[in-house]
């Protein structure tokens, strides 16, 4: 047997009395189970915007509060602030893209059942394509912003930075 130092042995004995199983924790779907389809859609599409705003806010405040002076030889405060905000923002957009795109595009995936047309993702909700209204309008706007806008933003940033396309 291994003879552990007394401090480590005590720590191991203390941790053996309690355990924390991350796999057994409830998923985020349990938190939104009782919410309406419209509320879930707004949550999936507005929460990332709020998180992005919180991430970019320090850079924007820095820009607003930084003194304006003669140009310096190094990168400007604007360039430094944009670099500081852009990398984590793009990473978050990369992670959020599948979730937000699926949440918005699923509103166009309907299935006809004997009494009418319903969403495939939630058979308690009538198809927005038939019903129209806010959910349809919001789905079109958020699909354009997320499903098409995020890849377009990445492409435009690559073109702005003059990243050459990879050879075939």
């Amino acid at each position: 047997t291994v003879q552990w130092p007394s401090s480590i042995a005590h720590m191991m004995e203390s941790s053996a009395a309690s355990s924390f199983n991350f796999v057994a924790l409830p998923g985020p779907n349990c938190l939104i189970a009782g919410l309406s389809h419209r509320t879930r859609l707004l949550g999936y599409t507005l929460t990332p915007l709020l998180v992005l705003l919180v991430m970019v806010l320090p850079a924007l405040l820095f820009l607003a509060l930084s003194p304006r002076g003669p140009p310096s030889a190094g990168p400007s405060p604007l360039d430094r602030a944009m670099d500081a905000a852009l990398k984590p923002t793009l990473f978050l957009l990369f992670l959020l893209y599948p979730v937000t795109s699926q949440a918005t595009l699923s509103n166009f995936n309907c299935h006809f059942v004997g009494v009418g047309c319903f969403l495939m993702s939630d058979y308690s909700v009538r198809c927005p394509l038939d019903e129209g209204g806010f959910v349809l309008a919001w789905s079109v706007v958020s699909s354009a912003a997320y499903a098409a806008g995020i890849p377009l933003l990445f492409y435009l940033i690559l073109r702005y930075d003059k990243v050459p396309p990879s050879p075939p």
Side-chain angles (χ1 to χ4, degrees):
T1 65
V2 175
Q3 294 295 341
W4 295 99
S6 62
S7 60
I8 293 178
H10 178 65
M11 181 180 69
M12 291 173 65
E13 288 173 6
S14 299
S15 67
S18 65
S19 67
F20 193 74
N21 187 354
F22 287 104
V23 176
L25 288 174
N29 287 339
C30 291
L31 300 173
I32 61 172
L35 300 176
S36 70
H37 177 74
R38 180 179 174 167
T39 305
R40 286 193 311 257
L41 176 64
L42 288 172
Y44 276 120
T45 55
L46 291 178
T47 303
L49 293 176
L50 294 173
V51 171
L52 290 172
L53 179 66
V54 168
M55 289 176 64
V56 174
L57 196 58
L60 295 176
L61 287 174
F62 173 75
L63 285 175
L65 300 175
S66 65
R68 306 281 188 250
S72 61
S76 70
L78 173 64
D79 291 337
R80 289 196 316 262
M82 290 304 290
D83 282 344
L86 192 61
K87 290 174 186 171
T89 301
L90 292 177
F91 181 69
L92 182 65
L93 284 174
F94 175 75
L95 293 178
L96 291 174
Y97 176 72
V99 176
T100 54
S101 295
Q102 191 276 333
T104 59
L105 294 173
S106 69
N107 290 298
F108 303 110
N109 188 13
C110 300
H111 184 249
F112 183 78
V113 182
V115 294
C117 203
F118 295 91
L119 283 180
M120 291 285 288
S121 61
D122 187 351
Y123 277 107
S124 67
V125 178
R126 287 217 176 252
C127 182
L129 296 171
D130 290 344
E131 299 287 314
F134 175 77
V135 172
L136 177 62
W138 187 255
S139 297
V140 169
V141 169
S142 57
S143 293
Y146 287 110
I150 291 175
L152 181 63
L153 174 69
F154 277 55
Y155 174 76
L156 292 174
I157 289 171
L158 288 173
R159 298 308 301 157
Y160 177 78
D161 285 340
K162 296 178 178 60
V163 175
S166 59

